[in-house]
Amino acid sequence: MSARVRKRAPDAPAGSDHASRFYAAVRKIRKGTVASYGEVARMAGLPGRARQVGYALHRLPWDSTVPWHRVVNAKGEIAIGADPDAKREQRRRLEAEGVEFDERGRVVRDDRRS
DNA sequence: ATTCTGACTTGGG
DNA sequence: CCCCAAGCCAGAA
């Protein structure tokens, strides 16, 4: 048979295939700690795709084993807006792991490397 | 096809 | 501390 039609160039990014990559990076986040979307994107080897990380996690099913709740924005705050239920769930899970929040709803980072 | 919005980040003011 | 512009990619209207 003829060569199969190449749907995209070998060097072209594969659209939404990065999801698995992001999930793998999120799994690496140690319990009781948090990482920003940008950090996750960087860990996944895709710097600059922070927004896509959020999108990938948004589509993540509730029965997933991926610790999506350990991902917050650069300000250390929960980035969810249009889903107060999920937002509350994230905070609940983090507090269950020992993560503290300040009055403004920002994560208090314990680990302070100096 | 085009436009807008979004679980974002970084840098400058 | 807050606000804004540019960069990024995917999905909904």
Side-chain angles (χ1 to χ4, degrees), chain A residues 21-73:
Chain A
R21 233 184 153 84
F22 293 140
Y23 299 153
V26 173
R27 284 177 188 283
K28 290 171 197 160
I29 303 173
R30 272 167 76 83
K31 188 182 121 190
T33 68
V34 296
S36 69
Y37 293 87
E39 285 286 306
V40 172
R42 199 176 295 180
M43 280 190 294
L46 299 165
R49 280 70 188 162
R51 219 162 197 166
Q52 262 38 41
V53 174
Y55 233 91
L57 294 179
H58 177 66
R59 292 200 49 196
L60 202 61
W62 287 82
D63 57 343
S64 176
T65 59
V66 177
W68 58 271
H69 57 273
R70 292 182 192 149
V71 184
V72 296
N73 64 19

Side-chain angles (χ1 to χ4, degrees), chain A residues 6 8 11 20 24 26 31-32 37-38 42 48-49 54 70 84 86 88 90 92 95-96 99-100 103 109 111:
Chain A
R6 171 180 350 116
R8 44 187 172 240
D11 59 323
S20 312
V26 173
K31 188 182 121 190
Y37 293 87
R42 199 176 295 180
R49 280 70 188 162
R70 292 182 192 149
R88 211 183 65 208
Q90 177 168 13
R92 191 187 70 73
E95 289 183 317
V99 177
E100 293 179 48
E103 289 304 315
R109 292 197 180 133
D111 48 9

